[in-house]
Amino acid sequence: TLALPHGVYLYTNESYKARTSARQRFYKFNRFDYVIVQNHLRKDVLVRSGIVSEKIVVLGSARFCDEWIAQNRKILPRMIKSNRQNKKLKVVFMVSKPHCRIDIERMLSTFDILSNLDGIQVMIKPHTRTAANSRLFADLSLPTASNILTPELCEWADVVLVIGSSVITEALMQEKPVLYLKYLHANTMLFEECGACWTINNEPELKDALQSFENKRMEVPYGDENVNRFLSEVVYGGRKKRDVLKDYVEFITNCSIH
């Protein structure tokens, strides 16, 4: 039996959300013969939870590998109509799950700040699995994009805002500037430690950063080397390049219990 956990684990602190523990992770995953994970960070967390290292295989991210991103773009149901007359800076805010130690009040305040910035068009993308928290997005002054898939939103946007979402991987694979709103949660992230994003520590920094993009000063304070180091670990499982889907297929079809 194989476990293939969804999502991409990027939290570098231990208790990144409420009601999670090493005991729960052990109970959830130890019953499987193998657990396939995307990166060594996830493997280390599972090993510390008591699962033997030999059960855990690091194969990279099927979701964010080159082959699937290219295929996904071909089959996406397109929802955004292009408007060449619109010269505003296009910004998408990819919201994390509220229970991942998010400062809800400050996040809502940030939405208000964004809605009052001239020359910027913003869309809010609630986390896919947050239907129970839909009330948070019911009366916003900004449009929500729950019906638009993430890859298309990243294509549309000039700038992507994230808190703790693995969607940063999609944005970086598309070579989009990413602003990490560190001040909105109490966690630490792998992309933050790799320096693969523009870390924003407060609201004035956010406004200044967006205004620099609006004024066509498009430089970001992080380099390709940082981004590539992050993508190598998250997309390719610590290798510079690999055929991720091929490795998944070969392992799943050839694995046996000894």
Side-chain angles (χ1 to χ4, degrees):
T1 55
L2 299 171
L4 293 98
H6 65 78
V8 179
Y9 193 92
L10 298 178
Y11 294 97
T12 56
N13 56 302
E14 184 68 21
S15 299
Y16 69 95
K17 65 179 180 180
R19 301 182 301 278
T20 185
S21 68
R23 182 179 179 183
Q24 287 174 315
R25 284 190 287 266
F26 180 83
Y27 175 78
K28 185 176 183 179
F29 291 110
N30 194 55
R31 51 189 165 154
F32 295 94
D33 296 313
Y34 292 107
V35 183
I36 300 177
V37 297
Q38 300 94 349
N39 55 49
H40 291 90
L41 179 63
R42 184 69 177 269
K43 179 173 181 174
D44 292 344
V45 168
L46 294 179
V47 169
R48 289 198 302 270
S49 299
I51 300 169
V52 296
S53 178
E54 290 73 20
K55 276 190 175 188
I56 308 165
V57 184
V58 179
L59 293 182
S61 172
R63 163 66 181 87
F64 292 116
C65 70
D66 304 272
E67 185 177 354
W68 173 245
I69 281 183
Q71 175 62 26
N72 202 21
R73 285 183 178 179
K74 295 176 184 178
I75 63 176
L76 279 176
R78 301 288 172 172
M79 304 293 292
I80 301 176
K81 294 181 180 179
S82 61
N83 181 2
R84 295 182 179 178
Q85 304 303 316
N86 183 6
K87 302 301 183 182
K88 290 186 175 182
L89 182 76
K90 299 185 290 294
V91 178
V92 61
F93 189 161
M94 301 291 188
V95 179
S96 297
K97 290 177 284 188
H99 65 280
C100 290
R101 306 177 74 193
I102 303 295
D103 187 332
I104 300 297
E105 293 303 318
R106 203 169 180 185
M107 182 179 73
L108 295 175
S109 175
T110 296
F111 292 163
D112 289 337
I113 291 170
L114 292 171
S115 69
N116 290 316
L117 291 178
D118 295 330
I120 295 176
Q121 180 181 355
V122 182
M123 283 202 281
I124 304 296
K125 171 72 171 180
H127 193 279
T128 307
R129 298 183 300 281
T130 52
N133 302 104
S134 57
R135 59 179 177 76
L136 294 175
F137 310 98
D139 299 310
L140 297 184
S141 53
L142 294 169
T144 58
S146 300
N147 63 322
I148 304 174
L149 295 177
T150 294
E152 186 180 13
L153 283 170
C154 288
E155 288 180 354
W156 169 83
D158 298 310
V159 181
V160 179
L161 310 183
V162 301
I163 307 175
S165 174
S166 63
V167 167
I168 188 175
T169 313
E170 177 86 39
L172 292 174
M173 290 288 282
Q174 291 192 26
E175 301 182 346
K176 294 300 178 80
V178 175
L179 306 186
Y180 161 50
L181 309 191
K182 179 178 176 63
Y183 68 91
L184 290 182
H185 73 163
N187 296 312
T188 55
M189 308 301 302
L190 182 61
F191 50 78
E192 171 188 358
E193 295 187 2
C194 288
C197 57
W198 188 341
T199 298
I200 304 296
N201 296 295
N202 52 51
E203 292 86 347
E205 285 187 12
L206 173 61
K207 289 193 286 187
D208 288 346
L210 290 175
Q211 286 168 357
S212 75
F213 287 115
E214 186 188 357
N215 295 329
K216 309 301 181 184
R217 300 194 302 271
M218 303 296 286
E219 292 186 9
V220 294
Y222 58 90
D224 292 342
E225 183 178 346
N226 303 77
V227 172
N228 291 336
R229 184 166 70 249
F230 170 74
L231 294 179
S232 173
E233 179 60 29
V234 170
V235 178
Y236 305 108
R239 298 186 185 180
K240 192 171 183 179
K241 279 282 186 176
R242 79 189 303 168
D243 188 332
V244 175
L245 298 187
K246 179 182 177 182
D247 286 355
Y248 268 79
V249 170
E250 287 187 352
F251 181 82
I252 292 171
T253 56
N254 295 328
C255 69
S256 60
I257 307 304
H258 300 288

